[in-house]
Amino acid sequence: MKPRDRLRIAMQKSGRLTEPALELLKRCGLTFRQSRDKLFCFGEGEPVDLLLVRDDDIPGLIAQGVCELGIVGRNVLDEFRVTAGRDSEPLAELRPLGFGRCRLSIAVPQEFDYREPAQLSGQRIATSYPGLLGAWLGEHGVEAGVVTLAGSVEIAPKLGTADAICDLVQSGGTLVANQLREVDVLLDSEAVLAGPQALPADERGDLVELLLKRLDGVIQVRE
Ligand code: PRT
Ligand code: ZN
C-alpha cells in the first residue's frame, strides 16, 4: 500500500459510540469537515481524517492498513483478535476510553438453575461472539453448541433455537424483558482506541504519539 502522510481514524458511523467518540476527538483538538456522504471526514487542523463505518468493520480496516487507529468496543476488537487468521496483522488495545461500558455475559432462562459453566455442556448457546464464547467454553472444558446469530440473540431461548445466550448486557433490562438471567461474565467491555501492534515508522507514527499524549491529558482531566 502507498504510504500516506495523513493519519486515518475509523469510528462508528451511527450508533452508541458515535457521539462520545466525536466528543473525545474534539477534546483532543481534532475537528473535521463533514463530507456529504459522511463516510470520510477531512481533518481541518491536524492531518488526521475520519472514516465512518460499521463498528464490526473497524478491526479489519486497521489490520488491512486502511486506517491506523480505530475507536471500537473491546468486545468487537477481542472477537476479531480471537478469530483473525495468523496471517492477519496483530492488533493492540492502545487505550481504554471510559465510555460504552457493557459486559459480554452468559444468560439463561429464569428457570435454569445455573451454578457453574459445566452445566452448559451439551446445551445450545446463541451469540454474535462465537470466537470469545468458544474460547471461554474451551477454558472451562465445556463442549456446547454455539449458534451464531447476527442480532436478536435474546429471543433465541423463547424461539426454542437455543438454551442459553452469550450477549452484551448494560442495564440488564433486555434480559429481564426476555425472562433471562445473567449468570457469568466473559468480558468487561468499553470503547477502546485500537491500533496495529507496530505503529508506522513515519509521520503517522509521530501523529499517533501526539494523539495518545493529548488523549492521556483529556482522560486524566475527566477522571
Ligand atoms: O451499525 P453498527 O454495526 O455500527 O452498530 P451495532 O448495532 O453493532 O452497535 P451498537 O451501536 O449497538 O453498539 C456499539 C458498541 O456499544 C458495542 O459493540 C458495545 O461495545 C457498546 N455497548 C454498550 C453496547 C451496549 N452497551 C448495549 N447495551 N452494545 C449493545 N448493547 C445492546 C445489547 O446487545 C443488548 O441487545 O443493548 C442490549 C442490552 O442493553 P441493556 O441495557 O438492556 O442491558
Ligand atoms: Zn455492529
Side-chain angles (χ1 to χ4, degrees):
M1 186 173 285
K2 245 176 49 195
R4 281 180 276 108
D5 52 4
R6 297 180 67 85
L7 193 73
R8 277 189 202 147
I9 307 177
M11 57 166 273
Q12 196 182 22
K13 182 175 161 76
S14 158
R16 289 168 206 263
L17 305 183
T18 306
E19 281 315 313
L22 278 175
E23 177 63 29
L24 182 67
L25 293 175
K26 203 164 108 191
R27 291 179 66 185
C28 288
L30 301 179
T31 52
F32 304 93
R33 200 186 310 147
Q34 212 149 67
S35 69
R36 222 175 303 159
D37 63 2
K38 283 182 65 184
L39 180 73
F40 185 87
C41 295
F42 187 80
E44 291 181 312
E46 310 289 347
V48 180
D49 304 321
L50 270 190
L51 277 186
L52 300 178
V53 295
R54 287 201 57 183
D55 65 345
D56 317 77
D57 294 336
I58 293 174
L61 289 170
I62 302 170
Q64 290 162 37
V66 175
C67 55
E68 288 71 36
L69 297 175
I71 296 176
V72 67
R74 181 179 293 135
N75 47 299
V76 173
L77 175 63
D78 285 2
E79 177 68 16
F80 181 85
R81 293 209 276 197
V82 172
T83 51
R86 263 190 223 154
D87 303 337
S88 178
E89 173 80 30
L91 301 188
E93 179 179 320
L94 300 175
R95 293 291 187 277
L97 299 177
F99 60 87
R101 287 186 203 277
C102 57
R103 319 178 278 286
L104 181 66
S105 295
I106 301 285
V108 298
Q110 295 290 359
E111 60 278 11
F112 192 137
D113 179 23
Y114 183 96
R115 291 176 309 276
E116 53 176 11
Q119 288 170 279
L120 295 170
S121 283
Q123 306 282 313
R124 297 160 304 161
I125 311 171
T127 191
S128 304
Y129 297 87
L132 289 171
L133 174 60
W136 183 84
L137 290 171
E139 271 166 37
H140 289 86
V142 175
E143 274 190 44
V146 174
V147 181
T148 305
L149 300 176
S152 304
V153 169
E154 65 278 359
I155 61 165
K158 216 178 285 171
L159 297 178
T161 54
D163 307 296
I165 68 166
C166 169
D167 200 8
L168 299 177
V169 182
Q170 199 213 355
S171 68
T174 303
L175 294 183
V176 171
N178 289 281
Q179 290 93 48
L180 297 168
R181 189 163 62 88
E182 184 179 10
V183 291
D184 243 321
V185 177
L186 279 63
L187 177 77
D188 279 306
S189 188
E190 65 187 280
V192 302
L193 184 72
Q197 293 273 355
L199 294 175
D202 55 21
E203 290 95 334
R204 290 171 300 164
D206 300 340
L207 274 169
V208 173
E209 298 288 350
L210 174 77
L211 197 62
L212 287 176
K213 221 174 275 170
R214 290 191 188 171
L215 200 57
D216 290 339
V218 168
I219 290 169
Q220 219 163 29
V221 167
R222 208 168 43 186
E223 274 167 359

